[in-house]
Amino acid sequence: MTEKVVVAAMYKFVALPDYEALRQPLLDTLLQHGIKGTLLLAAEGINGTVSGSRQALDALLQWFARDERLVDIDHKESFCDEQPFYRTKVKLKKEIVTLGVPGVDPNRRVGTYVEPADWNALVDDPEVLLIDTRNDYEVALGTFEGAVDPATRSFREFPAYIKAHYDPGRHKKVAMFCTGGIRCEKASSYMLEEGFEEVYHLKGGILKYLEDVPQEQTRWRGDCFVFDNRVTVRHDLGEGDFELCHACRMPVSAEERQSEHYVVGISCPHCWDSLSPKTRARAQERQRQIELARQRQQAHPLGRDPRRQDS
């Protein structure tokens, strides 16, 4: 039986004034154990998703455990049959998730963490305003019952959305969630700075909820978008039935893949009529290279998704 690949989404807000010096030792550890994926380092902490064998991921967690600041790094695991990443990277950033508001620091002030087991009771409270802090293409695939969709295209738009729609004087209880917990943790810090008094966020995010809460008790509906080649996972954390259009980076369902506008690697119903000639030509060439790599039984990196840093 072939060993499953372990996919670990991990993050921690913690003061890392020496984050630049951590880059090379961390990268060396990933490469030594054959771990692929991307980790981001900043003065405010660490964030990213990586994958490898069980033994490799255990070795990485042991490396973190040798630093008292990272010993309890938040991480959620799921499994897949094939390596979902092509490369290994450790990047230095100003923020590990980009909100773009100076002074927001979850290491200094953060909302109330809610365990997955307690989440249903909280969101069932009619006085609670439930906000999905993810972006529009993620929310379209799945969300919690009763959640508000801000229809943002990036996390940078979240502060303007809150200022335009909500008032700390009227919205007394706010609960937020995201894929792995990092966006809603930073969003909770921002909301407190804006004067909202009771701010809650789902500890470990959607992925931890799907892992811990039985399906018969779930308030989750649909699939959860993930930032790797699986595209989505279902409630059982198995791979969903979506693929990524490599022209526009939108998830494409099985039904949409039956459309005449879906051409593997080149266009889909979301973008077929809006692609520039330059973008279409680039997609065609990339798909040609992918097919050549497949014939040679070589891995081919599909290119950077600019949305990955929001995970």
Side-chain angles (χ1 to χ4, degrees):
M1 182 177 178
T2 304
E3 183 182 12
K4 290 278 190 179
V5 176
V6 183
V7 183
M10 50 184 58
Y11 83 94
K12 185 178 181 181
F13 283 106
V14 60
L16 297 176
D18 59 339
Y19 73 99
E20 294 180 348
L22 291 175
R23 180 187 178 277
Q24 195 59 50
L26 179 53
L27 179 59
D28 290 344
T29 300
L30 298 178
L31 294 172
Q32 177 186 348
H33 296 284
I35 298 172
K36 296 186 182 299
T38 300
L39 292 175
L40 308 180
L41 287 170
E44 68 179 8
I46 183 172
N47 174 36
T49 304
V50 293
S51 59
S53 67
R54 174 75 274 161
Q55 295 83 355
L57 267 296
D58 288 344
L60 176 60
L61 293 174
Q62 289 170 11
W63 187 87
F64 285 134
R66 290 197 287 271
D67 187 327
E68 63 180 10
R69 300 170 299 179
L70 300 172
V71 65
D72 58 347
I73 187 170
D74 183 282
H75 84 288
K76 281 79 57 182
E77 294 184 355
S78 55
F79 305 87
C80 59
D81 295 325
E82 298 179 355
Q83 175 60 257
F85 297 110
Y86 293 105
R87 296 174 178 171
T88 304
K89 298 179 182 179
V90 178
K91 298 181 177 180
L92 303 178
K93 294 285 186 178
K94 292 182 179 179
E95 299 179 76
I96 55 173
V97 60
T98 306
L99 184 66
V101 179
V104 175
D105 184 4
N107 292 312
R108 182 175 57 85
R109 192 181 189 194
V110 74
T112 301
Y113 297 91
V114 181
E115 297 289 344
D118 301 321
W119 184 247
N120 287 357
L122 176 67
V123 301
D124 286 348
D125 183 344
E127 295 184 2
V128 169
L129 169 65
L130 181 60
I131 303 177
D132 193 329
T133 67
R134 301 171 305 151
N135 300 329
D136 51 6
Y137 62 92
E138 300 170 83
V139 181
L141 302 181
T143 192
F144 281 106
E145 290 178 355
V148 174
D149 175 11
T152 54
R153 292 172 296 176
S154 78
F155 193 43
R156 282 180 173 273
E157 297 178 4
F158 185 78
Y161 168 79
I162 293 298
K163 287 186 176 181
H165 293 85
Y166 302 112
D167 177 4
R170 291 192 299 114
H171 302 97
K172 299 297 186 180
K173 294 183 180 180
V174 181
M176 295 176 293
F177 62 92
C178 58
T179 308
I182 184 170
R183 269 179 287 187
C184 52
E185 186 165 340
K186 197 159 194 178
S188 77
S189 181
Y190 168 76
M191 297 284 278
L192 289 171
E193 293 292 334
E194 289 296 301
F196 292 87
E197 295 181 4
E198 286 191 60
V199 182
Y200 304 88
H201 52 103
L202 177 58
K203 187 176 182 180
I206 300 162
L207 293 178
K208 190 62 176 173
Y209 179 92
L210 298 183
E211 180 181 337
D212 289 358
V213 176
Q215 198 156 352
E216 59 270 19
Q217 299 175 17
T218 191
R219 300 296 191 275
W220 178 259
R221 296 293 180 264
D223 280 16
C224 177
F225 184 90
V226 290
F227 293 84
D228 59 58
N229 292 340
R230 294 171 300 170
V231 186
T232 68
V233 294
R234 303 183 301 269
H235 195 289
D236 63 1
L237 294 178
E239 186 172 344
D241 193 25
F242 287 81
E243 293 182 4
L244 207 62
C245 173
H246 297 300
C248 68
R249 312 302 295 177
M250 287 293 292
V252 185
S253 68
E255 181 180 358
E256 289 170 331
R257 295 198 294 275
Q258 301 303 312
S259 167
E260 62 179 310
H261 302 304
Y262 178 70
V263 181
V264 176
I266 297 173
S267 67
C268 75
H270 299 287
C271 68
W272 69 274
D273 60 348
S274 61
L275 293 176
S276 68
K278 182 178 180 180
T279 299
R280 187 178 295 275
R282 187 165 58 240
Q284 290 171 333
E285 175 58 22
R286 180 174 50 210
Q287 187 61 29
R288 189 180 75 84
Q289 294 297 330
I290 291 171
E291 294 299 331
L292 288 173
R294 185 175 292 126
Q295 292 170 19
R296 299 169 185 147
Q297 296 185 330
Q298 298 173 336
H300 183 278
L302 298 179
R304 173 180 175 272
D305 184 345
R307 302 173 305 197
R308 287 182 183 271
Q309 69 172 353
D310 279 345
S311 64

